[in-house]
Amino acid sequence: PSVSATRASKFQAEKPCKRMVLYYHDKLFDGTEKDKANATSATAANASKLSDTNFGMLVVFNDPITIDDKFHSPPVARAQGFYFYDRKDTYTAWFAYTLVFNSSEHKGTLNIMGADLMTEKTRDLSVVGGTGDFFMARGIATFQTDTFQGLYYFRLKMDIKLYECY
Amino acid sequence: PSVSATRASKFQAEKPCKRMVLYYHDKLFDGTEKDKANATSATAANASKLSDTNFGMLVVFNDPITIDDKFHSPPVARAQGFYFYDRKDTYTAWFAYTLVFNSSEHKGTLNIMGADLMTEKTRDLSVVGGTGDFFMARGIATFQTDTFQGLYYFRLKMDIKLYECY
Amino acid sequence: PSVSATRASKFQAEKPCKRMVLYYHDKLFDGTEKDKANATSATAANASKLSDTNFGMLVVFNDPITIDDKFHSPPVARAQGFYFYDRKDTYTAWFAYTLVFNSSEHKGTLNIMGADLMTEKTRDLSVVGGTGDFFMARGIATFQTDTFQGLYYFRLKMDIKLYECY
């Protein structure tokens, strides 16, 4: 009997008003001088001693976003934010970040937060707001691990679906 | 004269479209070997020297959520996220986290952020998004301190009220 | 063809349903005894060695909000949250925080997150939720650097525009 209930059924039945499939590349700084040029993220807080799964390790990132899975493709956006690991018996993480677009196609930002349940094939985070071309947007960001090489490189496929576009 | 103004009066007069009362248990790791099994959270950044109220201390958690106030009741969800202390003359905190539901009753997540003004009897945080069964949800999470034992255990009653359900 | 598309054009053409211009003062603790009274924020995680632009430095704040640009004016709100620096070749930051109002004029909170692209004259963050007088609000917070004195004091003009008011 609420306004939102009415909107609900409509949204879920519909396609997103905007969809973008993007690749996120995280190259964690390994502490060496020669990695400074390539690295796109750095550890801000070390893992706790609670487990050997990096529980509590917090990483700040400024990562390139590309439309294919190549690290050296021209970025269409940057992802600026942080993640931390938060599980004792396996790896899961939690993300909050901004996709910053500054290209001929899009100018503006999308703000995203949620759990990255890495043991699931896909997992959904929330797009909680947007600015510029994405003024007041909301939606879902579906993560899929595309590849990883130990702790120091991983790539996520981010399927961004906006259901509220203004 | 805006669309939102119209929605405003409706929402506030109405009941939530979904409501859940949950208990959140935080057992902070005390650094000892024997606490590793029980602890559900760990310090990622130590308190600063600005005050003796833990200002700047940041804790990452993966906490059980139960429908009663018993730590050992079967969890109906996990709360994955972090909090930090942020006041000089008393204790207040700030939370951002995801409620992860994976039961027969609910599958999906709710994303929540806001200030935990611990000196108030109740305080409201924002539910800023949801996924799965809680697709695109928004609402209010009202915190109430149920109990605490020093720094290493506390329990919050979380009254989750969704006002936008899809 | 969606409900949101219809709302879109309306919102963007309209004025905000609520607007507030506020000043945010951040006085970072310098570690000395005599700064403890004045300081309003403290470093929770030190900068990484990735760059000399504070990449990874994380600051927890409880900052006064005033309606003019004077640090010692009576605060109309507090901003409780954190920021971190996240760029290698210059300074940019990322913020998540709550504006806590507790005055005769306003009681309630606004929750805000997004990138502070400090090299831009103005930059937009998302107001993702609100409580109390700002029940369920959403909007845009436009930051402008008003002044800064090295690392230890800066002042932002925050132009808060709500487009969803309830």
Side-chain angles (χ1 to χ4, degrees), chain A residues 32-80:
Chain A
T32 66
E33 195 61 34
K34 76 173 173 31
D35 196 42
K36 286 187 177 175
N38 262 333
T40 60
S41 67
T43 302
N46 290 318
S48 73
K49 297 196 193 317
L50 177 54
S51 71
D52 53 4
T53 54
N54 293 330
F55 197 109
M57 175 181 170
L58 190 153
V59 172
V60 168
F61 59 79
N62 190 325
D63 283 345
I65 298 289
T66 60
I67 54 168
D68 61 24
D69 62 5
K70 308 282 183 288
F71 182 70
H72 290 292
S73 291
V76 296
R78 306 295 295 191
Q80 298 185 220

Side-chain angles (χ1 to χ4, degrees), chain B residues 55-100:
Chain B
F55 197 109
M57 176 181 169
L58 190 153
V59 172
V60 168
F61 60 78
N62 189 324
D63 281 347
I65 297 289
T66 59
I67 54 169
D68 61 25
D69 61 5
K70 307 283 183 289
F71 182 68
H72 290 291
S73 291
V76 296
R78 306 293 297 190
Q80 299 185 219
F82 70 108
Y83 62 81
F84 51 79
Y85 292 97
D86 62 359
R87 192 162 157 181
K88 287 198 290 188
D89 58 340
T90 183
Y91 293 91
T92 63
W94 195 91
F95 277 72
Y97 65 104
T98 302
L99 287 176
V100 180

Side-chain angles (χ1 to χ4, degrees), chain C residues 16 18-19 124 127 138-142 159-163:
Chain C
K18 173 82 180 169
R19 187 170 179 180
D124 289 344
V127 181
R138 293 183 72 232
I140 303 285
T142 301
D159 187 353
I160 311 286
K161 290 154 285 187
L162 303 181
Y163 296 94

